[in-house]
Amino acid sequence: MNRIQKFFTKLKGLLVHRFFQVLLFIILGVFAYGLMFSNVKPERVQVELFKPAEQTIRSTKTVEDTYKTEQEKEEISKQVADVYSLKKEYAKNKVDLISSIFDTAIEVNKETDPDSDHKNDGEKENKKETLKTDAQKVSILKEKLTDEVNKNIEESVFLALVQADEDELKIARDSTITAVNNVMSSRIAASDVENAKKMVVEELGYMSISSDMKKASNSLARTAIIQNVFFDKDKTEEQRRKAIESVEPIRILQGQIIVEENQLVDRDVYRQLELAGFLNTESTIYPYIGLLLFIMLTFAAFYYFFTFSISKKDNKYNQLLIFSLVFILSMATMKTISILADMKNSNLEYIFPVAMSAMLIKILLNDKLAVAMILLLGSYGTVIFNGDTPGNLDVSMGLYIIFGGLTAILILSRLNFKSKVLVAGLLLSLINMAFVFSLIFIMDGHYTRMEYLYYAVSALGSGVGSAVLTMGLLPFFESGFGILSSMKLIELANPNHPLLRKILIEAPGTYHHSVMVANLAESACEAIGSNGLLARVGSYYHDIGKTKMPHFFIENQMSGDNPHDRLQPETSRDIIIAHAVDGGEMLRNHKLPKEIVDIAEQHHGTTLLKFFYYKAKKQDDATLEDAYRYPGPKAIMKEVAVIGIADSVEAAVRSMQHPTPDKIEELVNFIIQERIQDGQFDECDITMRELNIVKHSLCESLNGIFHSRIEYPEPDKLGQKVKE
């Protein structure tokens, strides 16, 4: 064990205590707070009225510019035209008045005419009325009308009305009513009254009546034409109110440039700076409190996750330390790049290796923690990459980090990319570039060709840099924490590994058996969501102990001679049981990962060597069953449990004379049930549902291996058929 491993082992020993766990999270929180402190520190600027600004100043928050909002409302209010309402009832009133005047005139003429057909002969004789003068008729007519009406009608009109006969009055009445109604139905403002009167006279110009009656009709019609459109104060106020309400408040947006460097600070700019709080000399602690709450919330969530969601203590502390180191490394890189970007006043932040942390956590730990890391870095990235503008959050950079990290996790989830981190980085570079361009296109930025090229190179550098850093840092974490990564497993699966070559040369039957078990175990583990690659590589090494005495194991007995036939049961027992213990020892000596060692030692659990136990039982009935059991321990990982089942199943099916699907299924089910009843899965968290899935997977794989084949004819018969 090197010094790094010893150091981290001591740290893991400290993390057993709750106090040091909490202390670690506090240290991480203080570290994050220190990095982001300058990004939330309120900015104080030195500006003077009517003098050039010494620097470009952006608003740190969104505030309403009430002065400009009121100006806009006042301007909009002035643009609203006065509302004039049409009084439709005026037309009806005037029509009714004209009609009443003519009807009254007709009535007066009837009453004052003794020859009227409406009077009977008795009335004519009894009253003996005499013909009244025109003046008298006019007087009677005026009495029947109101003073208001009489005042507005000329005397000549009354005279014409009493002199006309009934038919002429009716013609004049109907024509005048029609003309007045037509003209009064349109909108007549005060300035349009005279024109409207001319229009009504023009409409009456075609009446075929006497000139006096025509003049009277014209006079009455002109009198009836009045203003019918009036200013409506209530509606005008309502329209202005709606217009004012439609005015959106004018705001100084967060991140908006208030004044550029060397620009004159006029009164308007000065007022905006005051609104944005740059001229406020009073210090505020709210940004610091906000950052503290933000960090406390995120780390409280992660503390809860690590405390209550990870059950295996050793694995928990390993994950906690790895997660902490990757977080510190990523945050330090992020802060360094943001400082360089501010110094050069460029968008250098897009070169940040967004996928480095995701790749490391994905390969070293698991997908859930990788996603959690990316979400944490993405949220903190919005603060760190805010260009040192307090209160501003660079949301686009946060999205870039999250999208790049999640993309890396998805790419590495594909089996063919697990050992090709650099290829995954190149693919990620192209996806990063597409995402960066999507962001700048959405924000409708106007950039030069060189700027577009700069963005493209930064995105490509981010992807490749993530892959290179991941490949460079993986050995450090693997050696420091004893982590068995996918890359390490693929390296161990190389047939040129000394131990695998040893099995192949010294125990070829065992090598073939191990490869078969690897195929079965990998498929079954992947079916239940376990580590199929670990199951495959572990299967390659699980019987390495047999290389010490290979000919005592049946798969290596090519000649058919079985030395166990000449040995006592207890001797055979010791030889067979020793291969698990010897295998673990050999793997430790070659410094193979602990998981591979556990598979070699635990794949038989504490199962019974039935053949030699019953052989010994025949010789001595007092033989104890425990003496013929493997020393264990029992399987702890699901992968070990599956390998143990696959090991027994492969050996049993290979010994069958004519394996059929039904026989294979019956055998697999028997072996699994026997191990359940023997308590071999008591230390493992594998479920009955998962065991059922394992059974179906093994049966499917074995049926593919031992499927029926076509029975080819003998060579001489085959030659005869060819000749024919």
Side-chain angles (χ1 to χ4, degrees), residues 257-292:
I257 295 177
I258 299 177
V259 61
E260 294 186 351
E261 186 178 358
N262 295 323
Q263 179 185 343
L264 184 69
V265 179
D266 57 19
R267 291 191 181 279
D268 189 51
V269 171
Y270 196 82
R271 179 182 52 78
Q272 290 183 18
L273 289 172
E274 187 175 15
L275 279 174
F278 288 102
L279 305 182
N280 186 8
T281 57
E282 295 180 4
S283 59
T284 176
I285 62 170
Y286 291 119
Y288 308 121
I289 295 175
L291 180 62
L292 180 63

Side-chain angles (χ1 to χ4, degrees), residues 285-306:
I285 62 170
Y286 291 119
Y288 308 121
I289 295 175
L291 180 62
L292 180 63
L293 288 174
F294 181 43
I295 292 174
M296 287 176 62
L297 287 172
T298 52
F299 277 102
F302 279 104
Y303 177 77
Y304 178 85
F305 175 79
F306 279 109

Side-chain angles (χ1 to χ4, degrees), residues 415 418 514-540 638-639 641-647 649 686 689-705:
L415 189 63
K418 285 184 176 179
S514 298
V515 171
M516 295 292 289
V517 172
N519 293 332
L520 296 173
E522 182 182 36
S523 299
C525 282
E526 289 182 350
I528 62 173
S530 292
N531 192 337
L533 183 59
L534 173 60
R536 169 172 287 279
V537 178
S539 298
Y540 288 160
K638 291 181 182 180
E639 291 81 1
V642 173
I643 290 171
I645 296 170
D647 181 48
V649 166
I686 194 167
R689 178 178 176 275
E690 289 172 333
L691 287 171
N692 193 46
I693 294 173
V694 168
K695 181 184 77 173
H696 287 296
S697 176
L698 291 174
C699 291
E700 186 176 343
S701 298
L702 289 167
N703 288 331
I705 296 170

Side-chain angles (χ1 to χ4, degrees), residues 333-563:
T333 305
M334 197 184 298
K335 185 64 177 179
T336 302
I337 292 176
S338 72
I339 292 173
L340 292 174
D342 292 337
M343 290 172 58
K344 295 186 177 182
N345 195 24
S346 64
N347 290 319
L348 187 64
E349 61 264 21
Y350 284 105
I351 204 170
F352 171 67
V354 294
M356 177 191 69
S357 57
M359 286 180 166
L360 285 172
I361 300 298
K362 159 74 178 176
I363 294 171
L364 295 171
L365 303 180
N366 54 56
D367 289 357
K368 288 192 296 184
L369 286 174
V371 172
M373 174 66 79
I374 285 302
L375 294 177
L376 186 63
L377 292 179
S379 60
Y380 286 177
T382 60
V383 179
I384 290 180
F385 288 111
N386 69 351
D388 282 337
T389 304
N392 188 31
L393 296 177
D394 192 343
V395 178
S396 61
M397 192 61 197
L399 291 174
Y400 177 64
I401 294 172
I402 292 173
F403 183 84
L406 293 179
T407 303
I409 295 170
L410 292 175
I411 292 174
L412 288 180
S413 295
R414 295 186 60 184
L415 189 63
N416 56 329
F417 277 107
K418 285 184 176 179
S419 61
K420 301 176 182 177
V421 176
L422 185 59
V423 177
L426 291 173
L427 179 58
L428 177 64
S429 296
L430 299 176
I431 298 173
N432 277 353
M433 185 168 60
F435 186 74
V436 168
F437 280 114
S438 71
L439 287 177
I440 60 179
F441 289 158
I442 288 172
M443 294 185 289
D444 195 21
H446 300 285
Y447 303 99
T448 63
R449 291 183 179 179
M450 286 302 297
E451 286 176 320
Y452 281 122
L453 179 62
Y454 177 81
Y455 281 119
V457 171
S458 297
L460 290 172
S462 173
V464 175
S466 297
V468 171
L469 288 171
T470 300
M471 294 171 65
L473 291 170
L474 270 177
F476 166 77
F477 283 100
E478 289 176 352
S479 62
F481 291 92
I483 295 293
L484 183 59
S485 65
S486 298
M487 294 182 67
K488 182 66 175 178
L489 286 171
I490 292 170
E491 180 186 334
L492 292 174
N494 190 334
N496 291 320
H497 191 282
L499 288 180
L500 292 184
R501 288 182 61 83
K502 180 180 178 65
I503 301 174
L504 178 61
I505 294 170
E506 299 179 9
T510 298
Y511 182 85
H512 179 264
H513 162 72
S514 298
V515 171
M516 295 292 289
V517 172
N519 293 332
L520 296 173
E522 182 182 36
S523 299
C525 282
E526 289 182 350
I528 62 173
S530 292
N531 192 337
L533 183 59
L534 173 60
R536 169 172 287 279
V537 178
S539 298
Y540 288 160
Y541 292 91
H542 80 289
D543 277 342
I544 184 68
K546 292 182 179 180
T547 57
K548 281 199 171 184
M549 305 179 73
H551 298 296
F552 282 87
F553 297 90
I554 191 168
E555 66 266 23
N556 298 313
Q557 297 168 3
M558 304 301 177
S559 62
D561 179 42
N562 190 345

Side-chain angles (χ1 to χ4, degrees), residues 104-112 137 140-141 144 162:
T104 304
I106 293 172
E107 182 183 339
V108 169
N109 287 344
K110 287 181 180 179
E111 291 177 354
T112 58
K137 289 182 179 181
I140 294 172
L141 179 58
K144 290 183 176 289
V162 298

